[in-house]
PDB file of all heavy atoms in Angstrom:
ATOM      1  N   SER A 170      82.549 109.262  82.378  1.00 97.00           N
ATOM      2  CA  SER A 170      83.585 109.983  81.573  1.00 97.00           C
ATOM      3  C   SER A 170      84.903 110.194  82.379  1.00 97.00           C
ATOM      4  O   SER A 170      85.830 110.674  81.833  1.00 97.00           O
ATOM      5  CB  SER A 170      83.155 111.354  81.039  1.00 97.00           C
ATOM      6  OG  SER A 170      81.801 111.532  81.120  1.00 97.00           O
ATOM      7  N   PHE A 171      84.854 109.923  83.718  1.00 97.00           N
ATOM      8  CA  PHE A 171      86.066 110.130  84.467  1.00 97.00           C
ATOM      9  C   PHE A 171      86.483 108.771  85.143  1.00 97.00           C
ATOM     10  O   PHE A 171      85.579 107.930  85.318  1.00 97.00           O
ATOM     11  CB  PHE A 171      85.906 111.231  85.509  1.00 97.00           C
ATOM     12  CG  PHE A 171      85.728 112.549  84.923  1.00 97.00           C
ATOM     13  CD1 PHE A 171      84.455 113.000  84.560  1.00 97.00           C
ATOM     14  CD2 PHE A 171      86.800 113.405  84.674  1.00 97.00           C
ATOM     15  CE1 PHE A 171      84.254 114.319  84.032  1.00 97.00           C
ATOM     16  CE2 PHE A 171      86.638 114.674  84.123  1.00 97.00           C
ATOM     17  CZ  PHE A 171      85.365 115.108  83.782  1.00 97.00           C
ATOM     18  N   HIS A 172      87.734 108.648  85.549  1.00 96.00           N
ATOM     19  CA  HIS A 172      88.072 107.445  86.334  1.00 96.00           C
ATOM     20  C   HIS A 172      87.562 107.630  87.749  1.00 96.00           C
ATOM     21  O   HIS A 172      87.408 108.696  88.260  1.00 96.00           O
ATOM     22  CB  HIS A 172      89.662 107.313  86.394  1.00 96.00           C
ATOM     23  CG  HIS A 172      90.237 107.082  85.077  1.00 96.00           C
ATOM     24  ND1 HIS A 172      89.903 105.911  84.397  1.00 96.00           N
ATOM     25  CD2 HIS A 172      91.127 107.794  84.306  1.00 96.00           C
ATOM     26  CE1 HIS A 172      90.635 105.934  83.236  1.00 96.00           C
ATOM     27  NE2 HIS A 172      91.311 107.039  83.163  1.00 96.00           N
ATOM     28  N   ARG A 173      87.365 106.484  88.368  1.00 96.00           N
ATOM     29  CA  ARG A 173      86.884 106.372  89.744  1.00 96.00           C
ATOM     30  C   ARG A 173      87.728 107.319  90.659  1.00 96.00           C
ATOM     31  O   ARG A 173      87.127 108.097  91.437  1.00 96.00           O
ATOM     32  CB  ARG A 173      86.882 104.883  90.167  1.00 96.00           C
ATOM     33  CG  ARG A 173      86.958 104.652  91.661  1.00 96.00           C
ATOM     34  CD  ARG A 173      85.613 105.031  92.291  1.00 96.00           C
ATOM     35  NE  ARG A 173      85.697 105.002  93.781  1.00 96.00           N
ATOM     36  CZ  ARG A 173      86.019 106.013  94.465  1.00 96.00           C
ATOM     37  NH1 ARG A 173      86.297 107.193  93.983  1.00 96.00           N
ATOM     38  NH2 ARG A 173      86.052 105.923  95.840  1.00 96.00           N
ATOM     39  N   GLU A 174      89.030 107.291  90.511  1.00 96.00           N
ATOM     40  CA  GLU A 174      89.925 108.043  91.442  1.00 96.00           C
ATOM     41  C   GLU A 174      89.767 109.552  91.226  1.00 96.00           C
ATOM     42  O   GLU A 174      90.162 110.327  92.035  1.00 96.00           O
ATOM     43  CB  GLU A 174      91.404 107.734  91.195  1.00 96.00           C
ATOM     44  CG  GLU A 174      91.805 106.221  91.137  1.00 96.00           C
ATOM     45  CD  GLU A 174      91.402 105.691  89.799  1.00 96.00           C
ATOM     46  OE1 GLU A 174      91.960 106.104  88.807  1.00 96.00           O
ATOM     47  OE2 GLU A 174      90.539 104.777  89.735  1.00 96.00           O
ATOM     48  N   GLU A 175      89.113 109.926  90.052  1.00 98.00           N
ATOM     49  CA  GLU A 175      88.989 111.377  89.783  1.00 98.00           C
ATOM     50  C   GLU A 175      87.715 111.988  90.420  1.00 98.00           C
ATOM     51  O   GLU A 175      87.511 113.179  90.367  1.00 98.00           O
ATOM     52  CB  GLU A 175      88.969 111.625  88.338  1.00 98.00           C
ATOM     53  CG  GLU A 175      90.292 111.374  87.651  1.00 98.00           C
ATOM     54  CD  GLU A 175      90.188 111.502  86.125  1.00 98.00           C
ATOM     55  OE1 GLU A 175      89.442 110.744  85.477  1.00 98.00           O
ATOM     56  OE2 GLU A 175      90.847 112.362  85.529  1.00 98.00           O
ATOM     57  N   ILE A 176      86.863 111.090  90.948  1.00 98.00           N
ATOM     58  CA  ILE A 176      85.593 111.521  91.544  1.00 98.00           C
ATOM     59  C   ILE A 176      85.518 111.137  92.922  1.00 98.00           C
ATOM     60  O   ILE A 176      85.151 109.976  93.374  1.00 98.00           O
ATOM     61  CB  ILE A 176      84.362 110.868  90.745  1.00 98.00           C
ATOM     62  CG1 ILE A 176      84.560 110.903  89.277  1.00 98.00           C
ATOM     63  CG2 ILE A 176      83.077 111.526  91.170  1.00 98.00           C
ATOM     64  CD1 ILE A 176      83.625 110.119  88.414  1.00 98.00           C
ATOM     65  N   PRO A 177      85.904 112.041  93.876  1.00 98.00           N
ATOM     66  CA  PRO A 177      86.015 111.615  95.246  1.00 98.00           C
ATOM     67  C   PRO A 177      84.613 111.426  95.914  1.00 98.00           C
ATOM     68  O   PRO A 177      84.510 110.751  96.947  1.00 98.00           O
ATOM     69  CB  PRO A 177      86.710 112.836  95.929  1.00 98.00           C
ATOM     70  CG  PRO A 177      86.465 113.967  95.044  1.00 98.00           C
ATOM     71  CD  PRO A 177      86.370 113.399  93.600  1.00 98.00           C
ATOM     72  N   MET A 178      83.622 112.030  95.325  1.00 98.00           N
ATOM     73  CA  MET A 178      82.286 111.937  95.924  1.00 98.00           C
ATOM     74  C   MET A 178      81.219 112.607  95.072  1.00 98.00           C
ATOM     75  O   MET A 178      81.567 113.451  94.123  1.00 98.00           O
ATOM     76  CB  MET A 178      82.151 112.580  97.340  1.00 98.00           C
ATOM     77  CG  MET A 178      82.450 114.102  97.220  1.00 98.00           C
ATOM     78  SD  MET A 178      82.673 114.849  98.775  1.00 98.00           S
ATOM     79  CE  MET A 178      83.874 116.069  98.431  1.00 98.00           C
ATOM     80  N   VAL A 179      79.952 112.381  95.337  1.00 98.00           N
ATOM     81  CA  VAL A 179      78.872 113.175  94.789  1.00 98.00           C
ATOM     82  C   VAL A 179      78.228 113.918  96.005  1.00 98.00           C
ATOM     83  O   VAL A 179      78.145 113.343  97.091  1.00 98.00           O
ATOM     84  CB  VAL A 179      77.774 112.313  94.070  1.00 98.00           C
ATOM     85  CG1 VAL A 179      77.322 111.186  94.865  1.00 98.00           C
ATOM     86  CG2 VAL A 179      76.624 113.179  93.626  1.00 98.00           C
ATOM     87  N   ILE A 180      77.953 115.150  95.856  1.00 98.00           N
ATOM     88  CA  ILE A 180      77.320 115.930  96.948  1.00 98.00           C
ATOM     89  C   ILE A 180      75.887 116.238  96.647  1.00 98.00           C
ATOM     90  O   ILE A 180      75.575 116.945  95.609  1.00 98.00           O
ATOM     91  CB  ILE A 180      78.088 117.269  97.188  1.00 98.00           C
ATOM     92  CG1 ILE A 180      79.605 116.959  97.512  1.00 98.00           C
ATOM     93  CG2 ILE A 180      77.402 118.079  98.315  1.00 98.00           C
ATOM     94  CD1 ILE A 180      80.380 118.209  97.847  1.00 98.00           C
ATOM     95  N   VAL A 181      74.998 115.791  97.514  1.00 98.00           N
ATOM     96  CA  VAL A 181      73.586 116.123  97.329  1.00 98.00           C
ATOM     97  C   VAL A 181      73.224 117.164  98.441  1.00 98.00           C
ATOM     98  O   VAL A 181      73.366 116.844  99.636  1.00 98.00           O
ATOM     99  CB  VAL A 181      72.688 114.846  97.471  1.00 98.00           C
ATOM    100  CG1 VAL A 181      71.242 115.203  97.061  1.00 98.00           C
ATOM    101  CG2 VAL A 181      73.237 113.773  96.620  1.00 98.00           C
ATOM    102  N   THR A 182      72.760 118.275  98.012  1.00 98.00           N
ATOM    103  CA  THR A 182      72.365 119.349  98.906  1.00 98.00           C
ATOM    104  C   THR A 182      70.908 119.308  99.259  1.00 98.00           C
ATOM    105  O   THR A 182      70.053 119.383  98.318  1.00 98.00           O
ATOM    106  CB  THR A 182      72.811 120.679  98.343  1.00 98.00           C
ATOM    107  OG1 THR A 182      74.203 120.648  98.036  1.00 98.00           O
ATOM    108  CG2 THR A 182      72.626 121.830  99.371  1.00 98.00           C
ATOM    109  N   LEU A 183      70.562 119.184 100.527  1.00 97.00           N
ATOM    110  CA  LEU A 183      69.173 119.048 101.029  1.00 97.00           C
ATOM    111  C   LEU A 183      68.846 120.167 101.936  1.00 97.00           C
ATOM    112  O   LEU A 183      69.445 120.328 103.003  1.00 97.00           O
ATOM    113  CB  LEU A 183      69.084 117.695 101.820  1.00 97.00           C
ATOM    114  CG  LEU A 183      69.633 116.453 101.241  1.00 97.00           C
ATOM    115  CD1 LEU A 183      69.743 115.383 102.260  1.00 97.00           C
ATOM    116  CD2 LEU A 183      68.654 115.980 100.147  1.00 97.00           C
ATOM    117  N   THR A 184      67.843 120.922 101.637  1.00 94.00           N
ATOM    118  CA  THR A 184      67.227 121.175 100.327  1.00 94.00           C
ATOM    119  C   THR A 184      68.272 121.941  99.456  1.00 94.00           C
ATOM    120  O   THR A 184      69.246 122.321  99.949  1.00 94.00           O
ATOM    121  CB  THR A 184      66.041 122.131 100.416  1.00 94.00           C
ATOM    122  OG1 THR A 184      66.449 123.410 101.085  1.00 94.00           O
ATOM    123  CG2 THR A 184      64.872 121.479 101.280  1.00 94.00           C
ATOM    124  N   CYS A 185      68.021 121.979  98.206  1.00 93.00           N
ATOM    125  CA  CYS A 185      68.943 122.598  97.292  1.00 93.00           C
ATOM    126  C   CYS A 185      68.772 124.176  97.412  1.00 93.00           C
ATOM    127  O   CYS A 185      67.870 124.738  96.858  1.00 93.00           O
ATOM    128  CB  CYS A 185      68.773 122.092  95.882  1.00 93.00           C
ATOM    129  SG  CYS A 185      70.003 122.765  94.819  1.00 93.00           S
ATOM    130  N   ASN A 186      69.676 124.807  98.118  1.00 89.00           N
ATOM    131  CA  ASN A 186      69.611 126.218  98.429  1.00 89.00           C
ATOM    132  C   ASN A 186      69.669 127.051  97.085  1.00 89.00           C
ATOM    133  O   ASN A 186      68.760 127.865  96.829  1.00 89.00           O
ATOM    134  CB  ASN A 186      70.815 126.593  99.318  1.00 89.00           C
ATOM    135  CG  ASN A 186      70.788 128.034  99.753  1.00 89.00           C
ATOM    136  OD1 ASN A 186      69.862 128.820  99.429  1.00 89.00           O
ATOM    137  ND2 ASN A 186      71.730 128.435 100.555  1.00 89.00           N
ATOM    138  N   THR A 187      70.638 126.738  96.222  1.00 84.00           N
ATOM    139  CA  THR A 187      70.885 127.632  95.087  1.00 84.00           C
ATOM    140  C   THR A 187      69.693 127.534  94.057  1.00 84.00           C
ATOM    141  O   THR A 187      69.408 128.514  93.429  1.00 84.00           O
ATOM    142  CB  THR A 187      72.146 127.075  94.385  1.00 84.00           C
ATOM    143  OG1 THR A 187      73.161 126.873  95.340  1.00 84.00           O
ATOM    144  CG2 THR A 187      72.697 128.031  93.371  1.00 84.00           C
ATOM    145  N   SER A 188      68.936 126.407  93.996  1.00 83.00           N
ATOM    146  CA  SER A 188      67.858 126.342  93.052  1.00 83.00           C
ATOM    147  C   SER A 188      66.589 126.809  93.736  1.00 83.00           C
ATOM    148  O   SER A 188      65.485 126.654  93.161  1.00 83.00           O
ATOM    149  CB  SER A 188      67.712 125.004  92.456  1.00 83.00           C
ATOM    150  OG  SER A 188      67.200 124.100  93.372  1.00 83.00           O
ATOM    151  N   GLY A 189      66.600 127.333  94.971  1.00 88.00           N
ATOM    152  CA  GLY A 189      65.414 127.935  95.533  1.00 88.00           C
ATOM    153  C   GLY A 189      64.904 127.184  96.738  1.00 88.00           C
ATOM    154  O   GLY A 189      63.726 127.205  97.023  1.00 88.00           O
ATOM    155  N   GLY A 190      65.772 126.555  97.556  1.00 93.00           N
ATOM    156  CA  GLY A 190      65.312 125.775  98.678  1.00 93.00           C
ATOM    157  C   GLY A 190      64.471 124.594  98.339  1.00 93.00           C
ATOM    158  O   GLY A 190      63.502 124.284  98.992  1.00 93.00           O
ATOM    159  N   GLN A 191      64.743 124.034  97.143  1.00 96.00           N
ATOM    160  CA  GLN A 191      63.915 123.012  96.557  1.00 96.00           C
ATOM    161  C   GLN A 191      64.383 121.635  97.018  1.00 96.00           C
ATOM    162  O   GLN A 191      65.522 121.365  97.197  1.00 96.00           O
ATOM    163  CB  GLN A 191      64.061 123.049  95.039  1.00 96.00           C
ATOM    164  CG  GLN A 191      63.524 124.378  94.408  1.00 96.00           C
ATOM    165  CD  GLN A 191      62.023 124.518  94.536  1.00 96.00           C
ATOM    166  OE1 GLN A 191      61.237 123.589  94.495  1.00 96.00           O
ATOM    167  NE2 GLN A 191      61.602 125.782  94.810  1.00 96.00           N
ATOM    168  N   PRO A 192      63.341 120.741  97.386  1.00 97.00           N
ATOM    169  CA  PRO A 192      63.673 119.492  97.998  1.00 97.00           C
ATOM    170  C   PRO A 192      64.182 118.469  96.972  1.00 97.00           C
ATOM    171  O   PRO A 192      63.937 118.547  95.767  1.00 97.00           O
ATOM    172  CB  PRO A 192      62.367 119.077  98.640  1.00 97.00           C
ATOM    173  CG  PRO A 192      61.336 119.780  97.753  1.00 97.00           C
ATOM    174  CD  PRO A 192      61.939 120.994  97.286  1.00 97.00           C
ATOM    175  N   VAL A 193      64.794 117.371  97.593  1.00 98.00           N
ATOM    176  CA  VAL A 193      65.121 116.187  96.775  1.00 98.00           C
ATOM    177  C   VAL A 193      64.262 115.060  97.297  1.00 98.00           C
ATOM    178  O   VAL A 193      64.141 114.913  98.554  1.00 98.00           O
ATOM    179  CB  VAL A 193      66.688 115.873  97.096  1.00 98.00           C
ATOM    180  CG1 VAL A 193      67.079 114.644  96.241  1.00 98.00           C
ATOM    181  CG2 VAL A 193      67.531 117.058  96.769  1.00 98.00           C
ATOM    182  N   SER A 194      63.758 114.238  96.391  1.00 98.00           N
ATOM    183  CA  SER A 194      62.880 113.185  96.802  1.00 98.00           C
ATOM    184  C   SER A 194      63.629 111.995  97.305  1.00 98.00           C
ATOM    185  O   SER A 194      64.819 111.795  97.004  1.00 98.00           O
ATOM    186  CB  SER A 194      61.981 112.705  95.625  1.00 98.00           C
ATOM    187  OG  SER A 194      62.839 112.048  94.629  1.00 98.00           O
ATOM    188  N   ILE A 195      62.964 111.115  98.137  1.00 98.00           N
ATOM    189  CA  ILE A 195      63.564 109.939  98.632  1.00 98.00           C
ATOM    190  C   ILE A 195      63.970 109.034  97.447  1.00 98.00           C
ATOM    191  O   ILE A 195      64.986 108.431  97.380  1.00 98.00           O
ATOM    192  CB  ILE A 195      62.580 109.154  99.534  1.00 98.00           C
ATOM    193  CG1 ILE A 195      62.577 109.711 100.940  1.00 98.00           C
ATOM    194  CG2 ILE A 195      62.904 107.672  99.579  1.00 98.00           C
ATOM    195  CD1 ILE A 195      63.552 109.205 101.843  1.00 98.00           C
ATOM    196  N   GLU A 196      63.038 108.944  96.463  1.00 98.00           N
ATOM    197  CA  GLU A 196      63.226 108.135  95.292  1.00 98.00           C
ATOM    198  C   GLU A 196      64.558 108.503  94.551  1.00 98.00           C
ATOM    199  O   GLU A 196      65.402 107.695  94.245  1.00 98.00           O
ATOM    200  CB  GLU A 196      62.092 108.322  94.310  1.00 98.00           C
ATOM    201  CG  GLU A 196      62.085 107.411  93.159  1.00 98.00           C
ATOM    202  CD  GLU A 196      61.041 107.796  92.112  1.00 98.00           C
ATOM    203  OE1 GLU A 196      60.573 108.966  92.113  1.00 98.00           O
ATOM    204  OE2 GLU A 196      60.745 107.019  91.245  1.00 98.00           O
ATOM    205  N   ASN A 197      64.819 109.824  94.497  1.00 98.00           N
ATOM    206  CA  ASN A 197      66.028 110.304  93.872  1.00 98.00           C
ATOM    207  C   ASN A 197      67.292 110.015  94.741  1.00 98.00           C
ATOM    208  O   ASN A 197      68.328 109.565  94.229  1.00 98.00           O
ATOM    209  CB  ASN A 197      65.926 111.837  93.624  1.00 98.00           C
ATOM    210  CG  ASN A 197      67.001 112.417  92.704  1.00 98.00           C
ATOM    211  OD1 ASN A 197      67.877 113.079  93.082  1.00 98.00           O
ATOM    212  ND2 ASN A 197      66.930 111.985  91.414  1.00 98.00           N
ATOM    213  N   LEU A 198      67.094 110.188  96.069  1.00 98.00           N
ATOM    214  CA  LEU A 198      68.224 109.876  96.903  1.00 98.00           C
ATOM    215  C   LEU A 198      68.637 108.416  96.818  1.00 98.00           C
ATOM    216  O   LEU A 198      69.850 108.067  96.752  1.00 98.00           O
ATOM    217  CB  LEU A 198      67.913 110.216  98.393  1.00 98.00           C
ATOM    218  CG  LEU A 198      67.714 111.711  98.719  1.00 98.00           C
ATOM    219  CD1 LEU A 198      67.246 111.862 100.162  1.00 98.00           C
ATOM    220  CD2 LEU A 198      68.961 112.469  98.471  1.00 98.00           C
ATOM    221  N   LYS A 199      67.604 107.604  96.734  1.00 98.00           N
ATOM    222  CA  LYS A 199      67.808 106.115  96.642  1.00 98.00           C
ATOM    223  C   LYS A 199      68.522 105.789  95.343  1.00 98.00           C
ATOM    224  O   LYS A 199      69.457 105.061  95.276  1.00 98.00           O
ATOM    225  CB  LYS A 199      66.418 105.400  96.681  1.00 98.00           C
ATOM    226  CG  LYS A 199      66.589 103.929  97.101  1.00 98.00           C
ATOM    227  CD  LYS A 199      65.271 103.264  96.887  1.00 98.00           C
ATOM    228  CE  LYS A 199      64.237 103.474  97.984  1.00 98.00           C
ATOM    229  NZ  LYS A 199      63.017 102.719  97.865  1.00 98.00           N
TER     230      LYS A 199
END
Side-chain angles (χ1 to χ4, degrees):
S170 344
F171 293 89
H172 293 298
R173 157 71 191 90
E174 314 76 65
E175 293 173 298
I176 315 170
M178 64 189 145
V179 52
I180 298 180
V181 190
T182 305
L183 310 166
T184 56
C185 184
N186 186 359
T187 315
S188 73
Q191 297 293 323
V193 183
S194 69
I195 280 272
E196 190 190 14
N197 194 250
L198 293 177
K199 201 192 281 187

